[in-house]
Amino acid sequence: PPGFVESSCRSRIFWMKLNKLFLQGKFFQLEIYDPYAGPILLDEKLASRCGYVLSEDVWGNPVFRASVLGCHVANEADELFTLTVNIKVSSFSSMRAAVTYTYPMYCSYPSWASREIVCEENYMEVSVKTDVPAVSNDYTVAWMSALPETQNVAYQQWQLMFVSPSGRKRVTVSDAVKLGYSFNNTLSRVYLRAPYHSNESDVSVVSGVNMNMVTSTSMYRQRWLLLLIDTTVSCPVDGISFTDTTLTWTMPRVIPTLVVQESTFLSKNIVMGADDQVIVNPEEKNYLLKHNETHIRVTIPVGAEEGRLKSSISGGVYGVIYSIDLFLEHTWTDAGWQTTKYTVIKSITTPFMPQMPIVINNTVPEERLFNVAFGHFLPDVSLVAIAIGNVPFTPREAQHHGFKVYETLFSNRTKGFILEISFDDPYVLKEYVNRNETKYTLLVNYTLSVGPEMTLYYHSAEVECVIVDIELPEAVGYCDKENLYLTLPTFGLHQYWELYLGNTLLNRHVALTNGYLAATNSTHLILQIPLFAVGVIYEEVSFQKIKARFEVALRKVRTMETLQMFSVSCNFNSSEFIICHPDGTVMISAQMKTVPAIDMSKTKLRDSSCKPREYNEAHAFFKFHVTTCGTSVRFEGDHIIYENEISYEKETLPGQSIPTITRDPDYRLTVLCYYQAKETLMLGTFISDPVTSPPFGSGTMGPRSNTAAHRRVRQALNVVSRVSKDESFMEFYEPSMAILKQSVEPVFLEVELKDESPNIELYLENCWVTRSMDFSSTPRWNITVDG
């Protein structure tokens, strides 16, 4: 079919190329048509012996090359050469039902050099100009058929002498054929074709290049004539080097085994080419063809258009391989051979060159749109799938979802894949960072089909963009006669940040427990905090006013970083109150409603030295610590209760014995402060740090009758306890010393009341030992129970 076969003749070689598009999904074979024997199937052994090469070009098209001196080439006067090839194509590997295309090729080559050498991929060939009788397959068919015995005799007269490191070996032409060689002569030439690395060959290093060499002499004998012809051939087997950007092909300029008298050597012409085309001006393509006294060097930039860059995967890594088919023709003269034409055909492929793809972030934050380019790739790479946040999409599905996926070309003839996704897409991860920024993260997994083999390649990428797009809330505070209020926007609450009261998350349960009222509408949260609720900070307290403050911290949900403090502070008029401060300080504004009125300056606590700090006609203001002023302590459930009382000392008129005349009423006011038993009172300043202080205690106060005044209380103040070393109570353990006792050993405990007041008695009711400073921890061991 048209376009299936292309052919040319270059450097006395037939070149034939088959278009791979016509062979997709099919099998093919080549047959060489022999005029005498008919079609002969081309195989590897026949190819190297007869001067044929079957390979592929860099694009994967089958290529067939044949020497004009090949076994089945029709030769007319060493000037016109004909070769017919059958191309068999079948849809089956068994080649049944094959279609055969017969393709004749013609090559005209009238100008032979005295010696011509061809270094092909699978054979070496040398032909020498001479005039001797024909050996076989002579072009004069009638002469050959009429004189078969003459032909046989002539065949027996040729012999070959091989010289190798193992010695000399003389063989007949028929024996040489069995060794893989091909020897014959035409009307005016004798040629020898040899495989690489035969037993008779040798490898030598010439100017740093390994050369495979067959040293041979062809001998022709008649009774009156002995003809000796040098048929030595030598071809390079390496000389290729690579960098990241170039490949270099190096050959020796002078090959000693081919030039007997080096002093007479003269290089006449050096030509390079790619495929079957001569490159006239290599420098225009950035090729370098240079030579000096010892070497010829061809340097090709990786990616040159005569070759092919192919994508590949090696060990899960993406990279490229560059291939190019080159040939070099070197013509020289010397005294021994007049003119030698030396042709080398070389297919060069670089090693795998890793090319790490890059992700280019072209995102414009103002547009709130990710724009990500993924490249650089050769045209033989295609996008198979793309996963966003571990959700896979084909390119068509991605477009349908609203993503934009398209290819783009770069200046270096590579391409990339562009992905555009909105910041607001649900597959984009969003994280609140810093104070008022959002970090948008795009997780992408690419699946690519690479190279002609369509190998799957996977690459993951993470693209981030941080923009200022969050407005921190602002709170508004105000008060009424009995409450403090905070109002703040609900946007971002619980999603980006939380409210904290000290170190406690202020949720609905905490608000309810503390007595707060929380109400929300569509935009705001309103907190109502009673004046004497837990968490209120009293900055200034007197019987005339209370300056109270309530504050909460705005913290980031994930990092607990405090971003802002919201605070409301107000002054309140309050005539009667009790405040139990976290550090154990108690503040009381008491109103004594008695008839007749009493002198408030003469009120006191249990310790008569504890007088009011401030007073007027109706109020008295006390401030004391739970460890002073005769305060007693007891336990009820999970609470510690501190108790004191405000009393009035009656004024009596003097009499002879017991005073009985008085105008003052008998009045007492009981004061109670409740603290959680599992919380520790911290001694500190009056106004504590709201972030680190434990919650306040709660207090109550109420009047009692006179009969209750003499009730015994468990005094927890001004008491010292020590552990004696024995029953003598003469030596005691240091207070900070750890004491080790077995469970059956007695413990000698001394408790001493330091208060000298005659009205106070000491009763030791319950005493126990624990492993830690937390007296409510378990296990515990009782020392005394119920006194």
Side-chain angles (χ1 to χ4, degrees):
F4 178 38
V5 182
E6 296 179 10
S7 65
S8 63
C9 181
R10 171 68 202 167
S11 190
R12 70 179 185 84
I13 293 177
F14 293 102
W15 298 67
M16 183 179 74
K17 180 188 298 184
L18 306 182
N19 191 331
K20 67 178 182 180
L21 297 179
F22 291 87
L23 298 173
Q24 286 184 350
K26 297 181 179 180
F27 303 89
F28 79 96
Q29 289 179 345
L30 293 186
E31 293 178 340
I32 309 301
Y33 184 77
D34 187 309
Y36 307 107
I40 300 174
L41 182 65
L42 178 64
D43 59 23
E44 184 177 343
K45 186 175 181 181
L46 177 69
S48 63
R49 184 174 62 83
C50 288
Y52 307 139
V53 174
L54 179 60
S55 64
E56 290 184 350
D57 67 5
V58 296
W59 301 103
N61 298 301
V63 172
F64 172 72
R65 292 192 299 270
S67 169
V68 296
L69 299 177
C71 297
H72 309 96
V73 177
N75 182 342
E76 295 184 19
D78 286 340
E79 294 184 359
L80 182 62
F81 304 90
T82 305
L83 178 64
T84 300
V85 178
N86 290 335
I87 308 167
K88 301 181 69 176
V89 180
S90 173
S91 299
F92 307 96
S93 58
S94 62
M95 298 306 295
R96 63 184 176 88
V99 178
T100 301
Y101 302 96
T102 300
Y103 192 82
M105 292 184 289
Y106 306 93
C107 195
S108 176
Y109 192 70
S111 302
W112 289 85
S114 300
R115 179 175 61 174
E116 296 205 4
I117 296 175
V118 175
C119 300
E120 255 287 9
E121 291 183 24
N122 59 344
Y123 67 86
M124 303 179 290
E125 182 182 274
V126 55
S127 69
V128 179
K129 184 176 182 180
T130 185
D131 293 319
V132 295
V135 176
S136 63
N137 292 344
D138 188 79
Y139 66 94
T140 309
V141 177
W143 183 86
M144 294 298 296
S145 60
L147 302 172
E149 292 186 10
T150 304
Q151 179 190 16
N152 185 56
V153 171
Y155 190 82
Q156 295 296 332
Q157 290 174 337
W158 282 102
Q159 288 188 338
L160 299 176
M161 175 71 73
F162 293 104
V163 180
S164 66
S166 61
R168 295 175 178 268
K169 179 191 292 187
R170 178 182 294 182
V171 298
T172 64
V173 173
S174 58
D175 291 336
V177 172
K178 296 176 183 178
L179 295 175
Y181 296 92
S182 180
F183 176 84
N184 210 334
N185 71 316
T186 65
L187 180 65
S188 59
R189 307 186 71 78
V190 171
Y191 65 86
L192 173 69
R193 191 176 301 113
Y196 285 93
H197 307 295
S198 65
N199 292 333
E200 294 74 33
S201 67
D202 186 24
V203 176
S204 61
V205 179
V206 179
S207 299
V209 179
N210 287 318
M211 306 290 291
N212 192 243
M213 175 179 60
V214 174
T215 303
S216 65
T217 301
S218 301
M219 300 177 294
Y220 175 76
R221 181 191 299 274
Q222 282 188 349
R223 286 177 303 187
W224 61 88
L225 174 66
L226 177 61
L227 181 63
L228 301 178
I229 302 174
D230 185 0
T231 49
T232 297
V233 62
S234 182
C235 290
V237 294
D238 56 16
I240 308 299
S241 60
F242 306 96
T243 68
D244 291 339
T245 57
T246 62
L247 62 88
T248 301
W249 181 17
T250 302
M251 290 193 303
R253 181 169 177 266
V254 180
I255 304 171
T257 55
L258 302 181
V259 180
V260 178
Q261 300 180 39
E262 292 189 29
S263 59
T264 64
F265 175 86
L266 179 63
S267 179
K268 302 293 290 184
N269 188 35
I270 300 175
V271 175
M272 69 165 291
D275 293 324
D276 58 346
Q277 300 297 316
V278 173
I279 299 176
V280 180
N281 297 310
E283 62 279 357
E284 293 180 0
K285 298 179 177 292
N286 293 323
Y287 298 171
L288 294 179
L289 175 58
K290 294 188 175 183
H291 57 89
N292 52 28
E293 293 299 319
T294 58
H295 294 91
I296 301 172
R297 282 193 176 90
V298 177
T299 302
I300 306 292
V302 171
E305 60 183 13
E306 278 73 18
R308 180 190 184 185
L309 269 174
K310 182 179 73 170
S311 299
S312 182
I313 301 296
S314 178
V317 178
Y318 173 80
V320 297
I321 296 173
Y322 180 70
S323 301
I324 189 170
D325 296 330
L326 298 176
F327 69 85
L328 187 76
E329 289 182 357
H330 183 198
T331 303
W332 72 78
T333 62
D334 64 87
W337 282 101
Q338 296 182 0
T339 302
T340 297
K341 187 175 182 180
Y342 188 81
T343 303
V344 183
I345 299 174
K346 195 76 171 176
S347 294
I348 302 174
T349 299
T350 67
F352 176 80
M353 296 180 289
Q355 302 282 326
M356 181 59 67
I358 59 174
V359 175
I360 306 169
N361 187 4
N362 297 320
T363 300
V364 180
E366 293 76 13
E367 298 178 359
R368 297 183 62 83
L369 187 72
F370 278 111
N371 184 300
V372 181
F374 182 44
H376 298 246
F377 297 104
L378 298 178
D380 60 359
V381 175
S382 60
L383 181 64
V384 174
I386 187 169
I388 309 297
N390 296 323
V391 179
F393 299 91
T394 65
R396 183 181 297 274
E397 290 171 343
Q399 296 282 4
H400 180 73
H401 182 76
F403 307 150
K404 286 187 178 180
V405 182
Y406 54 93
E407 291 187 2
T408 185
L409 296 178
F410 298 113
S411 58
N412 59 355
R413 296 186 299 172
T414 61
K415 71 177 183 180
F417 304 99
I418 303 294
L419 173 64
E420 293 184 2
I421 297 181
S422 169
F423 285 178
D424 302 313
D425 190 274
Y427 294 111
V428 174
L429 303 180
K430 303 166 185 66
E431 181 185 359
Y432 171 57
V433 295
N434 303 323
R435 288 183 58 84
N436 57 349
E437 297 174 332
T438 303
K439 180 172 72 174
Y440 297 92
T441 303
L442 178 63
L443 301 178
V444 188
N445 287 283
Y446 296 91
T447 302
L448 305 178
S449 174
V450 175
E453 298 84 7
M454 302 181 70
T455 305
L456 292 182
Y457 171 69
Y458 306 94
H459 186 89
S460 60
E462 181 175 328
V463 183
E464 295 180 353
C465 185
V466 179
I467 61 173
V468 177
D469 61 354
I470 293 180
E471 183 178 352
L472 287 179
E474 295 291 336
V476 176
Y478 57 93
C479 301
D480 60 18
K481 292 182 179 181
E482 297 178 349
N483 303 283
L484 300 92
Y485 296 88
L486 269 179
T487 302
L488 66 154
T490 55
F491 170 77
L493 200 60
H494 312 308
Q495 179 184 2
Y496 300 135
W497 41 70
E498 295 279 10
L499 294 178
Y500 275 79
L501 180 64
N503 287 325
T504 303
L505 175 64
L506 184 55
N507 52 30
R508 289 190 176 274
H509 174 72
V510 172
L512 183 63
T513 303
N514 291 352
Y516 307 159
L517 179 62
T520 57
N521 56 26
S522 60
T523 60
H524 285 78
L525 166 68
I526 303 173
L527 278 176
Q528 177 186 340
I529 305 99
L531 173 61
F532 297 109
V534 176
V536 177
I537 302 167
Y538 304 98
E539 298 177 319
E540 182 181 343
V541 180
S542 68
F543 73 97
Q544 296 175 344
K545 72 171 183 178
I546 299 176
K547 184 177 182 181
R549 185 177 84 248
F550 180 78
E551 60 185 17
V552 291
L554 186 73
R555 292 187 180 182
K556 292 173 67 173
V557 170
R558 298 184 65 181
T559 65
M560 298 289 292
E561 175 189 354
T562 299
L563 300 175
Q564 213 156 303
M565 296 297 298
F566 298 140
S567 177
V568 55
S569 178
C570 295
N571 292 324
F572 294 87
N573 295 321
S574 182
S575 60
E576 189 174 24
F577 60 83
I578 176 171
I579 298 174
C580 303
H581 203 270
D583 64 358
T585 301
V586 181
M587 290 172 285
I588 306 167
S589 177
Q591 184 179 13
M592 300 296 193
K593 298 178 181 179
T594 62
V595 178
I598 61 176
D599 185 356
M600 301 303 292
S601 65
K602 296 180 180 180
T603 57
K604 65 180 180 63
L605 297 176
R606 283 177 177 162
D607 185 343
S608 59
S609 64
C610 294
K611 300 288 186 178
R613 298 280 184 102
E614 298 178 63
Y615 58 88
N616 58 17
E617 293 179 356
H619 293 82
F621 175 71
F622 292 88
K623 179 181 177 182
F624 61 96
H625 195 270
V626 295
T627 60
T628 62
C629 296
T631 306
S632 62
V633 61
R634 71 176 185 270
F635 298 93
E636 287 188 8
D638 58 351
H639 282 82
I640 304 175
I641 302 175
Y642 292 91
E643 180 179 333
N644 210 317
E645 62 183 14
I646 302 173
S647 62
Y648 173 69
E649 293 182 351
K650 295 184 293 183
E651 292 185 354
T652 59
L653 296 176
Q656 294 180 351
S657 57
I658 301 175
T660 60
I661 305 173
T662 176
R663 297 178 62 251
D664 295 332
D666 186 8
Y667 191 84
R668 296 177 185 274
L669 186 67
T670 301
V671 178
L672 301 174
C673 277
Y674 295 81
Y675 289 91
Q676 289 288 334
K678 293 185 179 180
E679 293 168 353
T680 304
L681 291 182
M682 304 296 294
L683 298 180
T685 60
F686 172 56
I687 299 178
S688 61
D689 184 353
V691 177
T692 58
S693 295
F696 288 9
S698 59
T700 62
M701 56 185 176
R704 294 199 308 184
S705 66
N706 191 37
T707 57
H710 301 288
R711 177 183 174 188
R712 291 194 186 100
V713 296
R714 290 180 287 274
Q715 190 74 22
L717 308 176
N718 301 322
V719 174
V720 175
S721 64
R722 297 185 297 176
V723 178
S724 174
K725 295 184 178 180
D726 53 33
E727 64 272 14
S728 67
F729 288 90
M730 299 297 292
E731 292 185 67
F732 296 89
Y733 291 104
E734 294 293 328
S736 59
M737 179 182 296
I739 303 172
L740 180 63
K741 292 287 185 179
Q742 299 295 328
S743 59
V744 295
E745 288 188 72
V747 176
F748 303 98
L749 178 64
E750 177 187 273
V751 181
E752 180 182 1
L753 176 64
K754 293 292 188 181
D755 198 320
E756 298 179 355
S757 174
N759 298 324
I760 298 177
E761 296 177 307
L762 173 62
Y763 290 87
L764 189 61
E765 184 176 21
N766 295 309
C767 183
W768 65 90
V769 178
T770 64
R771 285 181 174 177
S772 67
M773 297 293 292
D774 183 1
F775 55 79
S776 62
S777 65
T778 56
R780 78 181 199 178
W781 296 268
N782 292 321
I783 298 176
T784 63
V785 179
D786 291 333

